[in-house]
Amino acid sequence: MHISVIGTGYVGLVTGACFAEFGVNVTCMDNDAGRIERLEKGDVPFYEPGINELVTKGIKEQRLSFTTDIEKAVDKALVIFIAVGTPPRADGSADLSFVEEVGKGIARHMTGYKAIVTKSTVPVGTGERLRQVITSHQKSSIRFDIVSNPEFLREGSAIEDFMRPNRVVIGADSDQAVAIMKDLYRPLYLIETPIVVTDVPTAELIKYASNAFLATKISFINEIANLCERVGADVQMVAKGMGLDHRIGSKFLHAGPGFGGSCFPKDLAALIQSGERHGNPMQIASAASEVNEHQRKRMIEKISEAAGGLKGKTFAMLGLSFKPNTNDLRESPALAIGKQLMAEGATVRAYDPAALDEACRILPGLQACRDSYDAAEGADALILMTEWNQFRTMDFERLKGLMKKPVLLDLRNVYDSDRVAGHGFRHISVGRPARGPQVV
């Protein structure tokens, strides 16, 4: 089978490379000629563990190719995946203009049956809207099917998520389309991956509902963490006690500075806007979004309290990407907090293993540093924002000799407080009592 993936961003490229690994012939298409030229050389323009090797292998084995020609992509493929961006509009709704443009391009070049699959995260009703766009732009009436096949890829572990998913969701109203999609995912039958087959609107909503629920879990535990600080409880033990209940589970119960990234904030906003449009306010989703905004402000307060104010202070910020093992800075709590610290008159010395250069372009005031210890030099406090593995085993005696004041704001609760305090540091985390000597 030959498939095409339109869009070579994070979702599109991972999808194409992984299907090539499944033995499918894949053409990845993008309008960005410079991006395609890089990809043809095996040069991936974003950081994701394992993707470079997978792309190089697919090219070498001639199962993965790249083009800027949509006619070529449409002509070869039985299945066409749409994996273009759906950025938020000013009101929070998803901008579907890129999806619709792809639909028009497919319509103009169709010469036979196609299964047209939305991989992009799109609101309910997009499948029907796409069907109308394609039908109205066809040169002659050619049969096609619309399929919703939402992605559930976590940045930093996307390849594992594609190869060993919790589930595959297929939304379609045609037996032929379902059969084609099941055939594409046949390699997953060996590991007994659940396949959820439903209609298109239900599949579209599964993605939004899933992300909104996970975002809500994060906001919930952050509210509990803030209460823990008031009453002297330990949020990590609270989360452990909760998570051992199988009805709740331990995932996404990690207190911190709030969620970011390309999915949760955008999808939550789109779900809220969708509810408003259909006369059904999404009250829990709205509250989760509000709590997330408040949590960033609470982190600024914690930093100010720990340092005795912000103006004129120097902070070492470790981690800038919204999570480890990615260079994605979209809606990153670290960038939002760093921006506010600088606005209040502080200096921010920053280090991130993958996102430093891009972060400095976005926030020109950031002072780029070589590593954790370079960032710590002369700092009034060290702020751990992203839990990259290399930040989990720092030499506190060395840090103490470099810093102006031995203060660690551990906003990801990476470290044991007593261990850090044992090195003479003031350890301030999220939802746990502070430990160590007062140094302000």
Side-chain angles (χ1 to χ4, degrees):
M1 188 188 301
H2 198 120
I3 70 170
S4 286
V5 180
I6 312 298
T8 60
Y10 184 84
V11 171
L13 188 60
V14 170
T15 298
C18 288
F19 271 128
E21 183 68 8
F22 281 174
V24 178
N25 292 314
V26 182
T27 298
C28 289
M29 180 269 165
D30 200 293
N31 286 329
D32 187 335
R35 191 181 188 93
I36 291 298
E37 186 177 349
R38 287 181 63 181
L39 288 169
E40 286 176 330
K41 299 172 184 175
D43 179 12
V44 177
F46 56 83
Y47 180 84
E48 174 66 31
I51 188 65
N52 289 74
E53 294 81 359
L54 214 56
V55 168
T56 299
K57 183 181 179 186
I59 294 170
K60 183 179 179 181
E61 295 178 355
Q62 298 184 336
R63 286 198 300 269
L64 183 62
S65 62
F66 300 93
T67 185
T68 57
D69 185 350
I70 192 167
E71 182 176 5
K72 179 180 177 182
V74 171
D75 181 59
K76 283 188 172 184
L78 174 62
V79 182
I80 302 170
F81 286 88
I82 300 175
V84 294
T86 54
R89 297 182 186 273
D91 64 356
S93 64
D95 181 352
L96 299 176
S97 58
F98 298 115
V99 173
E100 292 183 6
E101 278 305 307
V102 172
K104 293 173 186 176
I106 292 170
R108 285 193 290 266
H109 298 294
M110 285 176 64
T111 56
Y113 170 84
K114 309 289 179 185
I116 300 166
V117 185
T118 52
K119 202 70 174 170
S120 304
T121 300
V122 294
V124 177
T126 301
E128 187 54 38
R129 185 169 168 179
L130 183 61
R131 188 190 307 277
Q132 293 170 5
V133 167
I134 294 172
T135 300
S136 63
H137 285 83
Q138 284 182 329
K139 294 176 181 177
S140 59
S141 180
I142 298 171
R143 195 171 72 85
F144 64 94
D145 284 314
I146 296 292
V147 179
S148 174
N149 177 221
E151 54 86 15
F152 300 97
L153 306 177
R154 296 168 299 166
E155 294 188 46
S157 56
I159 293 170
E160 175 69 12
D161 288 345
F162 194 99
M163 298 294 192
R164 304 184 70 84
N166 298 127
R167 78 287 204 195
V168 171
V169 175
I170 299 170
D173 54 12
S174 151
D175 290 340
Q176 181 179 2
V178 171
I180 290 169
M181 293 300 293
K182 283 186 171 182
D183 193 40
L184 263 181
Y185 283 106
R186 189 168 300 280
L188 298 181
Y189 292 5
L190 293 173
I191 56 173
E192 300 181 348
T193 300
I195 307 290
V196 178
V197 178
T198 184
D199 56 76
V200 173
T202 301
E204 290 170 339
L205 190 53
I206 285 171
K207 175 60 188 286
Y208 277 110
S210 297
N211 278 358
F213 186 78
L214 295 176
T216 300
K217 285 188 78 173
I218 295 170
S219 284
F220 179 82
I221 201 61
N222 280 335
E223 278 210 316
I224 295 295
N226 294 337
L227 179 60
C228 283
E229 291 179 7
R230 296 294 184 96
V231 302
D234 184 331
V235 73
Q236 286 188 310
M237 297 309 295
V238 172
K240 183 176 182 180
M242 291 171 59
L244 289 171
D245 186 328
H246 293 172
R247 296 170 302 175
I248 298 173
S250 61
K251 300 292 180 67
F252 290 85
L253 288 179
H254 302 288
F259 55 79
S262 61
C263 294
F264 287 1
K266 175 175 72 73
D267 293 354
L268 206 56
L271 184 64
I272 292 165
Q273 204 280 334
S274 182
E276 291 174 356
R277 192 170 64 251
H278 291 283
N280 188 67
M282 306 301 290
Q283 297 178 65
I284 293 175
S286 295
S289 182
E290 290 169 12
V291 168
N292 195 57
E293 285 301 311
H294 175 267
Q295 192 68 1
R296 296 185 182 188
K297 296 174 185 176
R298 175 64 191 131
M299 296 302 104
I300 296 290
E301 292 172 3
K302 289 172 76 72
I303 295 166
S304 181
E305 290 165 6
L310 300 175
K311 189 173 182 179
K313 298 295 169 59
T314 297
F315 297 103
M317 183 171 283
L318 303 187
L320 297 165
S321 57
F322 85 95
K323 63 181 289 190
N325 297 319
T326 179
N327 63 344
D328 197 338
L329 293 163
R330 286 173 287 183
E331 298 293 332
S332 167
L335 282 193
I337 290 169
K339 182 178 181 180
Q340 186 60 37
L341 292 177
M342 290 189 291
E344 297 286 343
T347 297
V348 180
R349 295 172 57 79
Y351 173 69
D352 185 283
L356 185 58
D357 290 345
E358 180 63 21
C360 289
R361 280 192 286 271
I362 295 171
L363 283 184
L366 282 179
Q367 293 186 8
C369 298
R370 295 185 305 275
D371 55 31
S372 309
Y373 303 102
D374 183 28
E377 193 162 346
D380 291 283
L382 187 86
I383 308 171
L384 203 166
M385 285 297 315
T386 312
E387 63 276 34
W388 286 87
N389 282 337
Q390 63 183 263
F391 300 151
R392 294 177 180 271
T393 55
M394 292 187 291
D395 183 338
F396 284 98
E397 292 304 317
R398 183 180 175 188
L399 286 171
K400 194 174 181 181
L402 293 167
M403 295 175 66
K404 189 182 297 182
K405 296 176 183 177
V407 178
L408 172 62
L409 285 139
D410 181 3
L411 302 189
R412 294 292 181 175
N413 291 355
V414 167
Y415 283 97
D416 175 78
S417 291
D418 290 334
R419 176 192 166 198
V420 177
H423 289 282
F425 271 76
R426 180 71 170 169
H427 184 246
I428 299 161
S429 53
V430 181
R432 300 186 295 177
R435 293 283 188 267
Q438 288 281 3
V439 296
V440 176

